[in-house]
Amino acid sequence: MTGRTIVDDITGSRRMRRNRKADWTRRLVQENRLTADDLIWPVFVVPGTNVVDPVAAMPGVNRMSVDKLVEAAKEAADLGIPALATFPNIEMSLRDETGSHCLAADNLINEATRAIKKAVPNIGVITDVALDPFTSHGHDGVLRGDVIVNDETVELVARAAVIQADAGSDIISPSEMMDGRVGAIRRALDEAGHQNVGIMSYATKFASAFYGPYRDAIGTGGLLKGDKKTYYIDPANGTEAMRDAALDVEEGADMLMVKPGLPYLDICWRMKEAFSLPVFAYQVSGEYSQIKAAAMNGWIDGERVMLETLLAFKRAGCDGVLTYFAMDVARHLAKKA
Ligand code: PBG
């Protein structure tokens, strides 16, 4: 067929497919790109040496002892990954009602920070100050009766933040969703002379079912009594999430995080539009495991789905993503370059 067609009449000669016609045009018009610079790698630390212990519900993810973690951190830095986020699996005998072991200068998370910063100074270390790895009940704060008490938890978390910064943490990442925590941590850090230590707030952390495999990884799954609905945000509420994030911005957060990731892309977009701050999504354990499980069954192409989800975060306005795929992606990108 030659000459004008009925479609030319309908579209007035606009054809979207012209820009999609070849690999080179598609590359030319590509709006978002994923690079190693976008990746934060969450890692699980266990006591001991020479331990690499697979997390059953997260194929490809291991709990590592500090020595192994240091090796992995070197590899991550060589692949261009800017930062790690560390999560400790604390011995049960050290967990108590108030999570008091979070204040030990030589606890596992601080030991990991010191070792990584010493061996691999050019990788960023982001540490969470929530109490859940340290409490005997798996909640993120101090449990009194059946209440997670806000202000007492904030006090502890702010002290833990200073101790984490003393150990060399570059960014404190409070995930326990207590009111006032960002401001309290900022004040405590400044008073201790840690003006250069940043705060990446889990500004909008939702009471989600997607955290299941993580709780297995750090050994809190069996412990948790009840749920976290009195402090995490209801998945139904976008406006409330924005208000919570606005408070964190006022209190001095340097970066904002949305968690979980893919089911909350609308929140990522709204936060990026509303605040002039870097926004990160946390592609959480359940999101990772879903993709892995389907890929292992041959139901989806795991690598392509992984890359598509991460690109979707970029399109939604995120400056980067915390993802258990970080090493896989970085290796894939290095191969392509
Ligand atoms: C708790 C915390 C959670 C995650 C990291 N820190 C959620 C929870 O257990 O309630 C989830 C991470 C993931 O699922 O990958 N402070």
Side-chain angles (χ1 to χ4, degrees):
M1 191 166 42
T2 54
R4 278 180 73 81
T5 69
I6 187 163
V7 172
D8 293 317
D9 288 339
I10 289 166
T11 64
S13 293
R14 277 70 165 172
R15 287 186 183 249
M16 294 303 292
R17 292 182 56 189
R18 279 196 281 267
N19 287 349
R20 299 177 194 150
K21 70 183 172 189
D23 179 62
W24 68 265
T25 53
R26 290 191 294 269
R27 279 189 283 128
L28 205 55
V29 302
Q30 185 175 337
E31 296 173 36
N32 293 287
R33 271 193 181 77
L34 185 67
T35 74
D37 293 332
D38 299 315
L39 303 170
I40 297 171
W41 184 29
V43 291
F44 300 116
V45 201
V46 284
T49 50
N50 207 24
V51 183
V52 177
D53 178 26
V55 180
M58 301 176 74
V61 172
N62 299 307
R63 306 175 188 89
M64 290 174 277
S65 52
V66 171
D67 55 326
K68 287 291 168 186
L69 178 57
V70 166
E71 287 172 24
K74 274 191 195 125
E75 206 186 325
D78 288 344
L79 285 166
I81 293 175
L84 305 179
T86 53
F87 296 97
N89 184 319
I90 302 291
E91 286 158 85
M92 287 299 163
S93 60
L94 296 172
R95 303 188 192 192
D96 61 22
E97 285 280 300
T98 61
S100 61
H101 188 60
C102 75
L103 298 177
D106 61 350
N107 66 21
L108 188 57
I109 189 164
N110 294 324
E111 192 199 323
T113 304
R114 267 191 212 97
I116 296 167
K117 290 311 296 188
K118 188 165 167 226
V120 201
N122 57 338
I123 201 159
V125 173
I126 302 174
T127 52
D128 192 344
V129 274
L131 301 182
D132 58 305
F134 303 96
T135 55
S136 49
H137 42 73
H139 277 290
D140 292 15
V142 174
L143 182 66
R144 298 278 180 218
D146 56 1
V147 178
I148 303 300
V149 289
N150 193 89
D151 300 17
E152 194 180 344
T153 301
V154 168
E155 238 182 87
L156 260 178
V157 157
R159 285 170 63 199
V162 172
I163 293 162
Q164 291 183 356
D166 290 342
S169 175
D170 299 292
I171 297 180
I172 303 296
S173 201
S175 80
E176 53 2 272
M177 293 299 284
M178 297 297 119
D179 287 322
R181 75 213 195 282
V182 171
I185 291 170
R186 184 71 271 157
R187 279 186 207 181
L189 287 173
D190 290 349
E191 269 161 32
H194 288 302
Q195 278 81 358
N196 282 332
V197 174
I199 300 177
M200 177 190 284
S201 173
Y202 284 66
T204 61
K205 183 167 186 184
F206 291 89
S208 168
F210 282 95
Y211 307 139
Y214 161 93
R215 294 183 187 169
D216 170 39
I218 68 154
T220 58
L223 301 178
L224 190 66
K225 295 185 194 85
D227 55 47
K228 301 192 176 183
K229 288 181 186 169
T230 69
Y231 46 107
Y232 292 179
I233 303 169
D234 186 332
N237 297 352
T239 302
E240 180 186 330
M242 291 301 290
R243 180 156 154 69
D244 207 319
L247 292 170
D248 289 1
V249 174
E250 280 169 34
E251 291 174 29
D254 301 287
M255 303 172 176
L256 301 170
M257 190 205 294
V258 176
K259 180 180 182 177
L262 217 55
Y264 298 88
L265 285 186
D266 57 323
I267 309 294
C268 296
W269 180 257
R270 287 172 75 176
M271 291 217 328
K272 192 63 200 175
E273 294 278 288
F275 309 113
S276 305
L277 283 180
V279 171
F280 295 84
Y282 195 146
Q283 182 175 49
V284 299
S285 55
E287 298 178 72
Y288 173 89
S289 301
Q290 278 185 321
I291 294 172
K292 277 286 174 181
M296 285 164 73
N297 274 301
W299 295 335
I300 58 170
D301 178 335
E303 182 167 89
R304 285 187 54 206
V305 170
M306 161 185 89
L307 293 168
E308 187 176 327
T309 57
L310 295 169
L311 192 58
F313 289 117
K314 298 291 304 272
R315 196 195 61 242
C318 291
D319 296 273
V321 189
L322 291 93
T323 176
Y324 300 98
F325 288 118
M327 292 294 269
D328 293 345
V329 180
R331 280 194 205 105
H332 171 88
L333 293 172
K335 229 175 24 211
K336 248 183 45 181

